[in-house]
Amino acid sequence: MTYEFCLEYGTYPLKDSRADLDEENEAPDFIKDNQDLVEKIERLNDHFHQLFLVIESQFFFVGHDKPDILDLVKKEHAQIIAILTKDYPDEDIRIEKCYWE
């Protein structure tokens, strides 16, 4: 199975690449025993969502007004990529670049 690590509004950052937008909104089985990683991913997802303003189902990026949170998201994102790469080399994980890279 191929997984995708990608920050998208409204989805869990690590999911089955075949999942639809409304599916797979929780940690995949292969990381569920790693509570520290799950918490890091959930914290990253929360911080990422703080970079957007949602009005009537429209998403507006407001990260330029929140540089501290944007920097935190960048740092957390890089840390999680390092963990996934080091601790899960046998998993097929496609890491999507973020727009700030």
Side-chain angles (χ1 to χ4, degrees):
M1 183 175 305
T2 300
Y3 294 92
E4 177 180 73
F5 180 62
C6 180
L7 293 176
E8 294 180 79
Y9 194 91
T11 66
Y12 194 80
L14 183 61
K15 60 187 170 293
D16 181 336
S17 64
R18 299 169 298 165
D20 290 329
L21 190 58
D22 59 346
E23 294 179 338
E24 302 284 333
N25 217 6
E26 61 180 45
D29 289 340
F30 77 92
I31 67 165
K32 284 189 177 177
D33 290 339
N34 187 339
Q35 192 58 38
D36 185 51
L37 177 58
V38 170
E39 289 173 7
K40 285 180 188 300
I41 291 173
E42 289 173 0
R43 195 167 32 253
L44 166 65
N45 202 32
D46 179 58
H47 291 147
F48 176 72
H49 280 75
Q50 290 177 39
L51 299 175
F52 293 86
L53 177 64
V54 181
I55 300 173
E56 296 182 13
S57 299
Q58 293 185 11
F59 307 98
F60 300 96
F61 178 76
V62 294
H64 54 278
D65 292 336
K66 300 178 178 188
D68 293 344
I69 295 175
L70 183 57
D71 288 343
L72 185 59
V73 167
K74 291 176 186 180
K75 179 181 172 186
E76 292 169 337
H77 187 262
Q79 290 172 346
I80 292 169
I81 289 172
I83 292 168
L84 290 172
T85 303
K86 178 181 170 271
D87 295 348
Y88 300 96
D90 296 332
E91 294 294 337
D92 185 13
I93 303 172
R94 185 176 60 212
I95 297 172
E96 296 289 325
K97 287 191 170 195
C98 293
Y99 61 90
W100 58 72
E101 292 181 20

